[in-house]
Amino acid sequence: WPTHVERAGVAVDEDALRGWMRANNPELLRLDAVAQQEAARIGVAEKRGWPGFTLGVDYIETGPARMDGVSDSGKDPVVAMLSVSLPIWRSSIGAGRRQAESQTAAALKERVGMEDRLGADLEMALYRARDAERRIELYRESLVPKAEQAFRVALSGFGSATASYLDVIDAERSLLEFKLATERAVADRAIAWAEIERIAGRDLGAMNPSPGASGGGEDAITTPSRSTP
């Protein structure tokens, strides 16, 4: 049989989750790096409009003269070089700079759009976590206890010949359906929290574990409080 879902209590608010998302989400970090790269290209494009200077030193290997008594025989001449390049194609340089600026603006807009999408995904994951929490409480506090009571009544009635065997089967079927729905809600909550951790870029389960909240213990994950604008 599968083991129970490990649970850990976490108490964080939505503002903290959004802050972690902006600071740790891998997609946003990637787009930040892309924007920085494109911004650096603007500087490169601007430097292409500067004059270029090249300094160099070279020598010519001549070797000794074939005849004796030749002045400076065997001395290799040294040559100094200086070159200057002037950026005369100003239109091309300006086009490169404008391209780099447009690519930087596009990268920043993509980053803003990704943050908005991740924020919407975070809201939906928080809604699913709260909805699962509500269903867990409903099943455990109300529906499952009532179904257990109905099963005991049907079983007692069958023992006293006031209820049929089909009544017992129907009551047990309802009880098992509610228990299955409870476990489904627990799984849905764990999935929602995994999605929240993916978006936030942090392991929330390791932050504030509740004592004895693993392996068959009571569920203790605390749904984040909704902040008031």
Side-chain angles (χ1 to χ4, degrees), residues 81-118:
M81 296 179 293
L82 171 64
S83 63
V84 180
S85 61
L86 299 177
I88 59 177
W89 305 105
R90 306 301 300 180
S91 59
S92 175
I93 296 172
R97 187 181 189 281
R98 290 190 297 271
Q99 180 183 10
E101 290 176 345
S102 64
Q103 289 177 344
T104 301
L108 292 174
K109 288 182 180 179
E110 184 180 1
R111 201 270 186 197
V112 172
M114 177 61 70
E115 183 175 342
D116 291 340
R117 289 192 294 273
L118 288 174

Short mmCIF file of all heavy atoms in Angstrom, two decimals, residues 81-118:
data_model
loop_
_atom_site.label_atom_id
_atom_site.label_comp_id
_atom_site.label_asym_id
_atom_site.label_seq_id
_atom_site.Cartn_x
_atom_site.Cartn_y
_atom_site.Cartn_z
N MET A 81 54.65 50.38 -35.31
CA MET A 81 53.49 50.61 -36.16
C MET A 81 52.40 51.31 -35.38
O MET A 81 52.19 51.04 -34.18
CB MET A 81 52.96 49.28 -36.71
CG MET A 81 53.93 48.54 -37.62
SD MET A 81 53.24 46.97 -38.19
CE MET A 81 53.18 46.08 -36.63
N LEU A 82 51.70 52.19 -36.03
CA LEU A 82 50.55 52.89 -35.46
C LEU A 82 49.49 53.01 -36.53
O LEU A 82 49.76 53.51 -37.64
CB LEU A 82 50.94 54.28 -34.95
CG LEU A 82 49.77 55.19 -34.53
CD1 LEU A 82 49.04 54.58 -33.33
CD2 LEU A 82 50.28 56.59 -34.21
N SER A 83 48.28 52.52 -36.21
CA SER A 83 47.17 52.62 -37.17
C SER A 83 45.96 53.22 -36.48
O SER A 83 45.74 53.00 -35.28
CB SER A 83 46.83 51.26 -37.78
OG SER A 83 46.37 50.37 -36.76
N VAL A 84 45.19 53.97 -37.21
CA VAL A 84 43.98 54.62 -36.70
C VAL A 84 42.83 54.27 -37.62
O VAL A 84 42.93 54.40 -38.84
CB VAL A 84 44.15 56.14 -36.62
CG1 VAL A 84 42.87 56.80 -36.09
CG2 VAL A 84 45.34 56.51 -35.75
N SER A 85 41.72 53.76 -37.02
CA SER A 85 40.50 53.47 -37.79
C SER A 85 39.41 54.44 -37.38
O SER A 85 39.13 54.62 -36.19
CB SER A 85 40.05 52.03 -37.55
OG SER A 85 39.74 51.81 -36.19
N LEU A 86 38.82 55.09 -38.36
CA LEU A 86 37.78 56.08 -38.10
C LEU A 86 36.42 55.49 -38.46
O LEU A 86 36.25 54.95 -39.57
CB LEU A 86 38.04 57.35 -38.91
CG LEU A 86 39.35 58.07 -38.61
CD1 LEU A 86 39.52 59.27 -39.54
CD2 LEU A 86 39.39 58.52 -37.16
N PRO A 87 35.44 55.54 -37.54
CA PRO A 87 34.10 55.01 -37.83
C PRO A 87 33.32 55.97 -38.73
O PRO A 87 32.62 56.87 -38.26
CB PRO A 87 33.47 54.91 -36.44
CG PRO A 87 34.16 55.96 -35.64
CD PRO A 87 35.55 56.07 -36.17
N ILE A 88 33.43 55.78 -40.02
CA ILE A 88 32.78 56.69 -40.97
C ILE A 88 31.38 56.22 -41.34
O ILE A 88 30.57 57.01 -41.84
CB ILE A 88 33.64 56.85 -42.23
CG1 ILE A 88 33.85 55.49 -42.90
CG2 ILE A 88 34.99 57.48 -41.87
CD1 ILE A 88 34.64 55.56 -44.21
N TRP A 89 31.06 54.94 -41.07
CA TRP A 89 29.72 54.43 -41.42
C TRP A 89 28.78 54.67 -40.24
O TRP A 89 28.41 53.77 -39.51
CB TRP A 89 29.79 52.95 -41.78
CG TRP A 89 30.79 52.65 -42.86
CD1 TRP A 89 32.00 52.07 -42.71
CD2 TRP A 89 30.64 52.93 -44.25
NE1 TRP A 89 32.64 51.98 -43.92
CE2 TRP A 89 31.82 52.49 -44.89
CE3 TRP A 89 29.62 53.52 -45.01
CZ2 TRP A 89 32.02 52.62 -46.26
CZ3 TRP A 89 29.82 53.64 -46.38
CH2 TRP A 89 30.99 53.20 -46.99
N ARG A 90 28.40 55.91 -40.05
CA ARG A 90 27.62 56.29 -38.88
C ARG A 90 26.21 55.69 -38.91
O ARG A 90 25.63 55.38 -37.88
CB ARG A 90 27.52 57.82 -38.78
CG ARG A 90 28.85 58.55 -38.79
CD ARG A 90 29.73 58.12 -37.65
NE ARG A 90 29.11 58.37 -36.35
CZ ARG A 90 29.68 58.08 -35.19
NH1 ARG A 90 30.87 57.48 -35.18
NH2 ARG A 90 29.07 58.35 -34.05
N SER A 91 25.64 55.57 -40.10
CA SER A 91 24.28 55.02 -40.18
C SER A 91 24.25 53.57 -39.72
O SER A 91 23.33 53.14 -39.01
CB SER A 91 23.76 55.12 -41.62
OG SER A 91 24.63 54.41 -42.50
N SER A 92 25.28 52.80 -40.09
CA SER A 92 25.34 51.40 -39.68
C SER A 92 25.53 51.30 -38.17
O SER A 92 24.91 50.45 -37.50
CB SER A 92 26.47 50.69 -40.40
OG SER A 92 26.61 49.37 -39.94
N ILE A 93 26.37 52.16 -37.62
CA ILE A 93 26.59 52.15 -36.17
C ILE A 93 25.32 52.53 -35.43
O ILE A 93 24.95 51.91 -34.42
CB ILE A 93 27.75 53.11 -35.83
CG1 ILE A 93 29.05 52.60 -36.46
CG2 ILE A 93 27.91 53.25 -34.32
CD1 ILE A 93 30.21 53.57 -36.33
N GLY A 94 24.60 53.55 -35.91
CA GLY A 94 23.36 53.94 -35.27
C GLY A 94 22.30 52.86 -35.35
O GLY A 94 21.54 52.64 -34.40
N ALA A 95 22.26 52.15 -36.48
CA ALA A 95 21.29 51.05 -36.62
C ALA A 95 21.60 49.93 -35.63
O ALA A 95 20.68 49.34 -35.04
CB ALA A 95 21.31 50.52 -38.05
N GLY A 96 22.89 49.64 -35.44
CA GLY A 96 23.25 48.60 -34.47
C GLY A 96 22.86 48.99 -33.05
O GLY A 96 22.41 48.14 -32.27
N ARG A 97 23.02 50.26 -32.72
CA ARG A 97 22.64 50.70 -31.38
C ARG A 97 21.14 50.63 -31.19
O ARG A 97 20.64 50.20 -30.14
CB ARG A 97 23.13 52.12 -31.15
CG ARG A 97 22.94 52.62 -29.73
CD ARG A 97 23.43 54.04 -29.54
NE ARG A 97 23.41 54.42 -28.14
CZ ARG A 97 22.33 54.78 -27.48
NH1 ARG A 97 21.16 54.81 -28.09
NH2 ARG A 97 22.41 55.11 -26.20
N ARG A 98 20.38 51.07 -32.21
CA ARG A 98 18.91 51.00 -32.09
C ARG A 98 18.43 49.56 -32.00
O ARG A 98 17.47 49.26 -31.27
CB ARG A 98 18.28 51.71 -33.29
CG ARG A 98 18.44 53.21 -33.27
CD ARG A 98 17.58 53.86 -34.34
NE ARG A 98 17.97 53.44 -35.68
CZ ARG A 98 18.90 54.06 -36.41
NH1 ARG A 98 19.53 55.12 -35.91
NH2 ARG A 98 19.19 53.64 -37.63
N GLN A 99 19.08 48.65 -32.71
CA GLN A 99 18.72 47.24 -32.62
C GLN A 99 18.96 46.71 -31.21
O GLN A 99 18.13 45.97 -30.66
CB GLN A 99 19.50 46.42 -33.64
CG GLN A 99 19.17 44.94 -33.59
CD GLN A 99 20.02 44.13 -34.56
OE1 GLN A 99 20.98 44.66 -35.13
NE2 GLN A 99 19.69 42.86 -34.73
N ALA A 100 20.11 47.07 -30.64
CA ALA A 100 20.41 46.61 -29.28
C ALA A 100 19.41 47.18 -28.28
O ALA A 100 18.97 46.50 -27.36
CB ALA A 100 21.84 47.01 -28.90
N GLU A 101 19.01 48.43 -28.45
CA GLU A 101 18.02 49.04 -27.55
C GLU A 101 16.67 48.36 -27.68
O GLU A 101 15.98 48.11 -26.67
CB GLU A 101 17.91 50.53 -27.84
CG GLU A 101 19.13 51.34 -27.44
CD GLU A 101 19.01 52.79 -27.84
OE1 GLU A 101 18.13 53.09 -28.68
OE2 GLU A 101 19.80 53.62 -27.34
N SER A 102 16.25 48.07 -28.92
CA SER A 102 14.96 47.40 -29.10
C SER A 102 14.97 45.99 -28.53
O SER A 102 13.97 45.54 -27.94
CB SER A 102 14.60 47.37 -30.59
OG SER A 102 15.54 46.60 -31.32
N GLN A 103 16.08 45.28 -28.68
CA GLN A 103 16.17 43.94 -28.12
C GLN A 103 16.17 43.98 -26.59
O GLN A 103 15.60 43.11 -25.94
CB GLN A 103 17.43 43.25 -28.64
CG GLN A 103 17.35 42.87 -30.11
CD GLN A 103 18.65 42.27 -30.62
OE1 GLN A 103 19.69 42.38 -29.98
NE2 GLN A 103 18.60 41.64 -31.77
N THR A 104 16.79 45.00 -26.02
CA THR A 104 16.76 45.16 -24.56
C THR A 104 15.34 45.43 -24.08
O THR A 104 14.88 44.84 -23.09
CB THR A 104 17.68 46.30 -24.13
OG1 THR A 104 19.01 46.03 -24.57
CG2 THR A 104 17.68 46.45 -22.62
N ALA A 105 14.62 46.32 -24.77
CA ALA A 105 13.24 46.62 -24.39
C ALA A 105 12.35 45.38 -24.53
O ALA A 105 11.48 45.12 -23.69
CB ALA A 105 12.70 47.75 -25.25
N ALA A 106 12.58 44.58 -25.59
CA ALA A 106 11.80 43.36 -25.78
C ALA A 106 12.07 42.36 -24.65
O ALA A 106 11.15 41.70 -24.15
CB ALA A 106 12.12 42.74 -27.13
N ALA A 107 13.34 42.25 -24.24
CA ALA A 107 13.67 41.32 -23.16
C ALA A 107 13.02 41.76 -21.85
O ALA A 107 12.52 40.94 -21.08
CB ALA A 107 15.19 41.23 -22.99
N LEU A 108 13.01 43.07 -21.59
CA LEU A 108 12.38 43.57 -20.37
C LEU A 108 10.86 43.34 -20.40
O LEU A 108 10.26 42.97 -19.38
CB LEU A 108 12.68 45.05 -20.19
CG LEU A 108 14.15 45.40 -19.89
CD1 LEU A 108 14.36 46.90 -19.88
CD2 LEU A 108 14.59 44.79 -18.56
N LYS A 109 10.24 43.54 -21.55
CA LYS A 109 8.80 43.30 -21.67
C LYS A 109 8.48 41.82 -21.49
O LYS A 109 7.48 41.46 -20.86
CB LYS A 109 8.30 43.79 -23.02
CG LYS A 109 8.25 45.31 -23.15
CD LYS A 109 7.70 45.73 -24.49
CE LYS A 109 7.66 47.25 -24.60
NZ LYS A 109 7.14 47.68 -25.93
N GLU A 110 9.33 40.96 -22.04
CA GLU A 110 9.12 39.52 -21.86
C GLU A 110 9.23 39.14 -20.39
O GLU A 110 8.47 38.32 -19.89
CB GLU A 110 10.13 38.74 -22.68
CG GLU A 110 9.93 37.23 -22.62
CD GLU A 110 10.94 36.46 -23.44
OE1 GLU A 110 11.82 37.11 -24.05
OE2 GLU A 110 10.86 35.22 -23.48
N ARG A 111 10.15 39.79 -19.69
CA ARG A 111 10.32 39.51 -18.27
C ARG A 111 9.09 39.96 -17.48
O ARG A 111 8.61 39.24 -16.60
CB ARG A 111 11.56 40.24 -17.77
CG ARG A 111 12.17 39.69 -16.49
CD ARG A 111 11.63 40.32 -15.27
NE ARG A 111 12.31 39.86 -14.08
CZ ARG A 111 11.83 40.00 -12.86
NH1 ARG A 111 10.66 40.59 -12.67
NH2 ARG A 111 12.50 39.56 -11.81
N VAL A 112 8.55 41.13 -17.82
CA VAL A 112 7.34 41.61 -17.15
C VAL A 112 6.17 40.67 -17.42
O VAL A 112 5.39 40.33 -16.53
CB VAL A 112 7.03 43.05 -17.59
CG1 VAL A 112 5.67 43.49 -17.07
CG2 VAL A 112 8.11 44.00 -17.10
N GLY A 113 6.04 40.24 -18.69
CA GLY A 113 4.96 39.32 -19.03
C GLY A 113 5.08 37.99 -18.31
O GLY A 113 4.07 37.44 -17.83
N MET A 114 6.30 37.47 -18.19
CA MET A 114 6.51 36.21 -17.47
C MET A 114 6.16 36.37 -16.00
O MET A 114 5.55 35.48 -15.39
CB MET A 114 7.95 35.75 -17.63
CG MET A 114 8.30 34.48 -16.86
SD MET A 114 7.31 33.04 -17.37
CE MET A 114 8.00 32.74 -19.00
N GLU A 115 6.54 37.50 -15.40
CA GLU A 115 6.20 37.72 -13.99
C GLU A 115 4.69 37.78 -13.79
O GLU A 115 4.16 37.25 -12.80
CB GLU A 115 6.86 39.01 -13.49
CG GLU A 115 6.61 39.27 -12.02
CD GLU A 115 7.36 40.49 -11.50
OE1 GLU A 115 8.32 40.93 -12.17
OE2 GLU A 115 6.98 41.01 -10.43
N ASP A 116 3.98 38.41 -14.73
CA ASP A 116 2.51 38.47 -14.62
C ASP A 116 1.91 37.07 -14.73
O ASP A 116 0.99 36.72 -13.98
CB ASP A 116 1.94 39.37 -15.71
CG ASP A 116 2.29 40.84 -15.48
OD1 ASP A 116 2.62 41.19 -14.33
OD2 ASP A 116 2.24 41.62 -16.45
N ARG A 117 2.41 36.27 -15.67
CA ARG A 117 1.88 34.91 -15.82
C ARG A 117 2.18 34.06 -14.60
O ARG A 117 1.32 33.30 -14.13
CB ARG A 117 2.48 34.26 -17.08
CG ARG A 117 1.96 34.83 -18.38
CD ARG A 117 2.35 33.96 -19.57
NE ARG A 117 3.78 33.96 -19.78
CZ ARG A 117 4.43 34.85 -20.52
NH1 ARG A 117 3.76 35.83 -21.10
NH2 ARG A 117 5.74 34.76 -20.69
N LEU A 118 3.39 34.18 -14.07
CA LEU A 118 3.72 33.42 -12.87
C LEU A 118 2.89 33.88 -11.68
O LEU A 118 2.49 33.06 -10.84
CB LEU A 118 5.20 33.57 -12.55
CG LEU A 118 6.16 32.85 -13.49
CD1 LEU A 118 7.60 33.20 -13.17
CD2 LEU A 118 5.97 31.34 -13.42
#
